[in-house]
Amino acid sequence: MARVVVDVMLKSEILDPQGKAVHGALNRLGFDGVTAVRQGKRFEIELDGAATPEAVARIEQAASTLLSNPVIEDFELRVEQ
Amino acid sequence: MTIGVVTFPGSLDDSDAMRAVRIATGDAVSLWHGDADLKGVDAIVLPGGFSYGDYLRCGAIARFAPIMEPLIDAARGGMPVLGICNGFQILCETHLLPGALVRNDHRKFVCRDQKLRIENTSTPWTSAYQPGQEIVIPLKNGEGGYVADESTLDRLEAQGQVVARYLDGNPNGSYRDIAGVANERGNVVGLMPHPEHAVEALTGPTTDGLGFFTSVLNSLVTA
């Protein structure tokens, strides 16, 4: 059994209003010293077997089609055994 | 002339879209997201709403519904397809239209009567308007900010693919005030505001939205 983690973030040039809202809330609560916040999504994908190169390639395909939209988002993928 | 309106789980404006088609004297046909069957319609409207609860990204899950496979083929073959609001988001997720729609820059849902300028009257959905015509139709969205990279925006402007632009203030942070775009061929149009809510004096701010539906019916008759 293996777990593949996919992190999806908006590209840097795309405005992130949710991150800005969180940043504003941090300032209001006194968590100062924060210059910026960007919010993303984390997917934990459980495989029914080992994370073979083929299985990881399939998840990579899923990450680039369903989990992220390449027009506005980038993703990073890693295997957790 | 039959115009299909697709209902996804979470669609809200499918019945208004069907009503707009009927008021424009077309035959409205209800299509179901789970059927890979376009029922022989001549054109298709993807209505507004919150398909699949907007989970993941707006339109991201609807884009893989069974109906979308024949719909994408038909759109590539030249069938007129109009995506309104959530339908626009779905068309961007399919990459039939360039760009994407993100959360409003001011972070609030916006609902108001919005002035637009029709920039391109050569599409099958906008031919009933005069070039540069100003119209007022309802706008209601939380994630209506149109974004694309600079080169894509320049290309859209150069090729006349900007179909409508916001006037009197940008309501959601859309780049270059873009309210609607078309594909290169012009048959696929996405629009964030809602023409289907402005087709009758009793229920709409104007009847300015009716032109989208009469346009496509005329284009189908003359095709």
Side-chain angles (χ1 to χ4, degrees):
Chain A
M1 303 293 204
R3 169 186 286 177
V4 178
V5 176
V6 178
D7 288 319
V8 176
M9 294 296 294
L10 282 173
K11 289 179 192 285
S12 57
E13 65 268 30
I14 302 293
L15 180 71
D16 176 14
Q18 291 185 104
K20 284 181 75 170
V22 172
H23 188 198
L26 288 174
N27 284 341
R28 275 198 307 282
L29 294 171
F31 295 103
D32 48 11
V34 177
T35 56
V37 178
R38 292 183 72 77
Q39 179 178 327
K41 299 187 183 96
R42 172 186 162 113
F43 300 87
E44 297 180 347
I45 299 164
E46 310 289 341
L47 302 182
D48 60 6
T52 60
E54 295 75 36
V56 172
R58 294 271 297 154
I59 298 299
E60 193 155 352
Q61 194 190 357
S64 64
T65 51
L66 178 63
L67 303 183
S68 74
N69 178 351
V71 175
I72 50 170
E73 293 169 322
D74 295 320
F75 70 87
E76 282 177 15
L77 180 154
R78 63 182 180 278
V79 176
E80 289 184 354
Q81 295 297 348
Chain B
M1 293 299 128
T2 60
I3 300 181
V5 178
V6 180
T7 299
F8 297 92
S11 292
L12 292 181
D13 301 322
D14 42 345
S15 52
D16 268 25
M18 292 190 63
R19 180 167 147 272
V21 168
R22 287 192 297 268
I23 291 172
T25 71
D27 292 325
V29 174
S30 178
L31 301 177
W32 182 240
H33 73 106
D35 296 336
D37 178 8
L38 301 182
K39 296 187 182 172
V41 297
D42 301 302
I44 292 177
V45 175
L46 294 180
F50 299 87
S51 59
Y52 300 90
D54 275 352
Y55 296 160
L56 192 59
R57 292 179 307 281
C58 302
I61 298 178
R63 175 256 173 278
F64 290 102
I67 191 87
M68 292 305 291
E69 207 168 309
L71 189 153
I72 290 168
D73 285 345
R76 293 209 172 109
M79 181 185 282
V81 177
L82 174 65
I84 303 167
C85 193
N86 190 222
F88 186 9
Q89 294 163 337
I90 294 169
L91 290 174
C92 285
E93 282 285 341
T94 64
H95 307 301
L96 281 170
L97 292 176
L101 293 140
V102 299
R103 193 169 296 272
N104 298 347
D105 59 348
H106 50 73
R107 307 171 212 155
K108 293 191 268 301
F109 194 92
V110 59
C111 181
R112 71 186 199 198
D113 297 334
Q114 176 69 43
K115 190 189 268 191
L116 306 175
R117 184 170 59 237
I118 304 295
E119 302 275 17
N120 178 339
T121 56
S122 64
T123 82
W125 297 100
T126 53
S127 57
Y129 295 100
Q130 298 300 313
Q133 187 174 340
E134 295 183 2
I135 66 172
V136 175
I137 61 177
L139 174 78
K140 45 171 188 146
N141 66 71
E143 302 196 32
Y146 183 75
V147 298
D149 59 38
E150 284 295 309
S151 63
T152 301
L153 293 168
D154 289 342
R155 197 180 71 239
L156 292 178
E157 305 260 16
Q159 297 180 346
Q161 287 175 250
V162 176
V163 170
R165 226 183 283 266
Y166 297 115
L167 294 180
D168 296 348
N170 184 328
N172 47 29
S174 291
Y175 291 177
R176 303 194 192 182
D177 299 335
I178 290 173
V181 298
N183 63 349
E184 279 183 38
R185 190 169 175 167
N187 63 301
V188 179
V189 170
L191 189 72
M192 191 42 61
H194 289 264
E196 81 281 17
H197 295 329
V199 295
E200 267 187 326
L202 178 67
T203 53
T206 64
T207 56
D208 290 350
L210 195 58
F212 282 85
F213 303 94
T214 55
S215 291
V216 74
L217 291 167
N218 286 334
S219 78
L220 293 170
V221 170
T222 55

